[in-house]
Amino acid sequence: MVVSRSTKIGTPGPRSRPQPPLPPLPPSPSIAPSDSVIVKPLTNKFCDTTAAIALRSLPCWLISAVVHTLVMIALAAVLVPPLLNGPFQIEATFDDASGDEELICQTLTVSTQNAVAEPLSTQEELQQILAPLAKPAKLEVEPPKGNLSGDPVLGMIGTAYRGRESGTKETMIERLGGTPETQEAVALGLKWLARNQQDDGSWNLKGPYANGSRRENHEVATAMALLAFQGDGNTTEVGPYQDEVRKGWYFLLRQQDADGCFYRTGYRTHRYYTQGLATIAVCELYGMTRSPALRRSYREPAVKAIDYCVKGQGMTGGWRYASRADSDLSVTGWVLMALQSARMAGLHVPRKTLYRASEFLDSVGKQVPGQYSYQPRKSPTRTMTAEGLLSRQYLGWKRDHPDMVAGVNWLLLPENKLDYTKNRDVYYWYYATQVMHHMEGEPWKKWNHAVCEKVPAAQVREGDEAGSWDPRQPSRDRRADEGGRLYVTCLSLYILEVYYRHLPLYSDPFVYLP
């Protein structure tokens, strides 16, 4: 193989983050550190008689072969050095953070003169070249803790977002219990969002609509609006809202810094809420995009966003308001959904990160079987239980896991049902709807009955805010001040898009795909 001068080859993605370089390789016995080939002359003196006898007993053809080989080496020593004017370099690191002992290539540089470019054609060729340098596998003394044995996300790679496609969407609405009213509500809600997009492509939490949030966060508002459009199948290349999605991403990608962080505005507690929502959105966009050129352009920001989440994981395995600090289930749920969205799009997330998140869930779900609390030693709530159960589903709990069944049954009690007259909490409904959707069967039928009837009925149908959901009417939402109208509207849209937004985790995806 002939390669061009200063050709660099690297593997993109989350495994290519900078690592400490390997120590220099020891020089080959026949190649000096200066890269010059040195042929050591044969000595005529032997250390013992046995060696001399052995040499004299060699057949003539073997001696001839050895001599000719030495002549070829000598010619190489004369002819090869003038052709080389630069070093051959391999820079590589081990991806210890992923839990897999794999060699990740950063750069491969070959310098030659007057050569014809012929790059490596496949990743497999590169791996063959690097195979001799691979780090030996580590002996596992004890299997890692956690609940990833089932790992249902692996079965969704390549199909997770296909329910949003035209044709498939209609099939899934019919099979999973959607109605014309749910789809009409989605259409009106997206129109309201489109009307409230700013000139720079962003959305705001405070307004210009009525009943906005007390605090502003342009990045969260933009990510939430994009998720609503993408949940209905719109990307920058397909759908009736291509322009809105394109403008929104033009704004949001400009907010991401070199480390992958999207947080720019908002209260100090917003950092990982912002990061989680924006990472879900960019990973979905990457997974939904078909154009190879566009996918390449979205891959880098998606990988950087994932890497920022992984590096910021807290000491107890979850996430909260600052990097590598304490944890709570509210923030952890959003970040964990971001990492699972990345995996469904085919992007790498270190398994060690997921195991540690599972351990955090153990710490907030140990008081009552199937129920979860905001932090350890706090009382379980229905909102945190819904968020915890969805996290467990993505991390490998099966549908019939005893604690899963207990938690789902608790959420289906009359006092925990979806109800606009009292205890209104769209944040809780968002997570609980997804849990029941993945459970299917009786839990989904019971929950979906309320979704179909009550969520569209509460939508504003007249005036300037037609298509939105009022955070204070017909009753006050628990986060009316913190989230405001856009927040409540986007979560309501996610609920009504649930029929096709994600395929059910526990079923063969091709049961639903045409």
Side-chain angles (χ1 to χ4, degrees):
M1 180 184 67
V2 183
V3 292
S4 62
R5 179 177 181 179
S6 299
T7 302
K8 294 191 176 181
I9 301 154
T11 54
R15 296 183 174 182
S16 61
R17 53 186 177 273
Q19 298 282 350
L22 291 174
L25 296 174
S28 169
S30 61
I31 300 181
S34 63
D35 288 347
S36 300
V37 179
I38 301 174
V39 181
K40 296 184 179 180
L42 292 175
T43 176
N44 292 323
K45 295 183 180 181
F46 294 91
C47 297
D48 53 62
T49 321
T50 305
I53 294 172
L55 183 61
R56 285 195 297 271
S57 64
L58 291 175
C60 296
W61 62 266
L62 181 56
I63 296 174
S64 175
V66 171
V67 171
H68 280 83
T69 300
L70 294 176
V71 170
M72 293 297 293
I73 293 174
L75 288 173
V78 175
L79 297 176
V80 172
L83 297 176
L84 299 174
N85 64 349
F88 178 89
Q89 295 178 326
I90 295 178
E91 299 175 13
T93 59
F94 295 110
D95 186 18
D96 290 325
S98 70
D100 301 321
E101 301 300 332
E102 299 180 10
L103 182 69
I104 306 301
C105 175
Q106 299 298 332
T107 58
L108 174 66
T109 305
V110 182
S111 296
T112 63
Q113 256 185 343
N114 303 321
V116 178
E118 185 183 337
L120 294 173
S121 58
T122 66
Q123 180 70 16
E124 295 172 333
E125 290 181 53
L126 181 60
Q127 290 173 344
Q128 289 173 2
I129 292 174
L130 295 176
L133 299 177
K135 188 176 179 180
K138 186 187 297 183
L139 179 64
E140 289 287 355
V141 179
E142 182 182 359
K145 298 178 181 179
N147 296 290
L148 299 181
S149 57
D151 206 358
V153 174
L154 292 179
M156 300 185 73
I157 295 174
T159 62
Y161 304 119
R162 285 191 57 190
R164 308 177 188 194
E165 298 174 358
S166 178
T168 308
K169 182 197 299 185
E170 290 74 18
T171 300
M172 295 194 69
I173 292 170
E174 180 181 356
R175 292 184 180 181
L176 290 171
T179 65
E181 289 75 20
T182 62
Q183 285 312 104
E184 181 186 7
V186 170
L188 288 173
L190 295 181
K191 287 181 180 179
W192 181 84
L193 283 175
R195 291 199 305 271
N196 283 281
Q197 188 175 26
Q198 303 301 297
D199 291 339
D200 64 355
S202 69
W203 279 266
N204 299 338
L205 288 181
K206 282 190 171 182
Y209 42 81
N211 304 128
S213 171
R214 291 187 305 174
R215 296 191 175 101
E216 188 58 271
N217 188 320
H218 304 289
E219 293 74 35
V220 160
T222 303
M224 294 192 76
L226 287 170
L227 282 171
F229 285 114
Q230 291 172 192
D232 200 52
N234 296 277
T235 69
T236 58
E237 59 183 352
V238 298
Y241 292 102
Q242 294 177 53
D243 289 343
E244 285 79 6
V245 174
R246 188 179 300 110
K247 288 167 59 180
W249 277 110
Y250 178 73
F251 169 82
L252 195 58
L253 289 177
R254 284 184 294 141
Q255 312 312 308
Q256 189 183 38
D257 66 20
D259 294 326
C261 179
F262 283 98
Y263 173 70
R264 284 288 171 273
T265 57
Y267 197 56
R268 63 176 183 82
T269 60
H270 289 187
R271 176 177 294 274
Y272 276 95
Y273 283 116
T274 303
Q275 188 67 19
L277 282 158
T279 303
I280 295 172
V282 72
C283 290
E284 283 193 1
L285 182 66
Y286 173 78
M288 295 172 67
T289 299
R290 294 290 174 261
S291 163
L294 284 175
R295 279 177 65 84
R296 285 193 295 271
S297 67
Y298 301 141
R299 182 183 177 91
E300 182 179 355
V303 169
K304 288 166 61 177
I306 298 162
D307 197 38
Y308 187 86
C309 291
V310 170
K311 291 179 178 176
Q313 190 171 26
M315 296 178 291
T316 57
W319 288 263
R320 204 179 187 203
Y321 304 147
S323 297
R324 297 181 294 277
D326 61 341
S327 309
D328 71 57
L329 183 52
S330 179
V331 178
T332 297
W334 287 108
V335 177
L336 194 52
M337 291 307 102
L339 298 180
Q340 301 297 10
S341 296
R343 299 179 69 219
M344 288 188 287
L347 298 170
H348 174 70
V349 175
R351 290 186 69 82
K352 180 180 178 182
T353 302
L354 302 178
Y355 282 127
R356 293 189 61 215
S358 182
E359 290 174 345
F360 171 72
L361 290 172
D362 291 341
S363 71
V364 293
K366 62 185 179 182
Q367 295 188 50
V368 181
Q371 297 181 27
Y372 289 84
S373 58
Y374 177 71
Q375 286 182 308
R377 296 178 296 279
K378 293 185 181 294
S379 299
T381 67
R382 61 181 190 169
T383 305
M384 293 298 98
T385 294
E387 193 164 356
L389 290 176
L390 182 62
S391 300
R392 290 296 201 186
Q393 288 177 329
Y394 278 116
L395 288 173
W397 272 17
K398 298 184 183 301
R399 182 193 277 131
D400 59 355
H401 189 290
D403 287 359
M404 177 64 67
V405 174
V408 167
N409 286 335
W410 186 64
L411 295 182
L412 289 172
L413 292 176
E415 60 266 31
N416 293 326
K417 64 182 181 180
L418 192 156
D419 189 356
Y420 275 92
T421 61
K422 59 180 180 179
N423 298 324
R424 181 182 175 188
D425 189 351
V426 70
Y427 180 65
Y428 158 54
W429 300 343
Y430 162 70
Y431 276 108
T433 300
Q434 293 180 85
V435 170
M436 304 304 173
H437 166 71
H438 291 309
M439 291 296 289
E440 300 179 87
E442 279 304 307
W444 173 239
K445 288 180 182 178
K446 292 179 180 179
W447 189 266
N448 184 50
H449 179 75
V451 168
C452 290
E453 177 185 343
K454 296 181 179 180
V455 179
Q459 188 179 37
V460 178
R461 295 303 177 105
E462 297 178 350
D464 293 339
E465 310 304 345
S468 68
W469 277 261
D470 191 327
R472 293 176 172 82
Q473 297 293 333
S475 60
R476 185 183 183 85
D477 190 88
R478 285 192 61 190
R479 293 165 183 82
D481 292 335
E482 291 298 320
R485 187 179 293 266
L486 183 136
Y487 167 87
V488 168
T489 296
C490 286
L491 289 178
S492 299
L493 288 171
Y494 305 160
I495 291 170
L496 295 177
E497 292 170 348
V498 71
Y499 308 101
Y500 47 83
R501 194 163 178 257
H502 292 126
L503 298 177
L505 273 172
Y506 299 118
S507 294
D508 182 344
F510 294 99
V511 170
Y512 295 101
L513 297 176

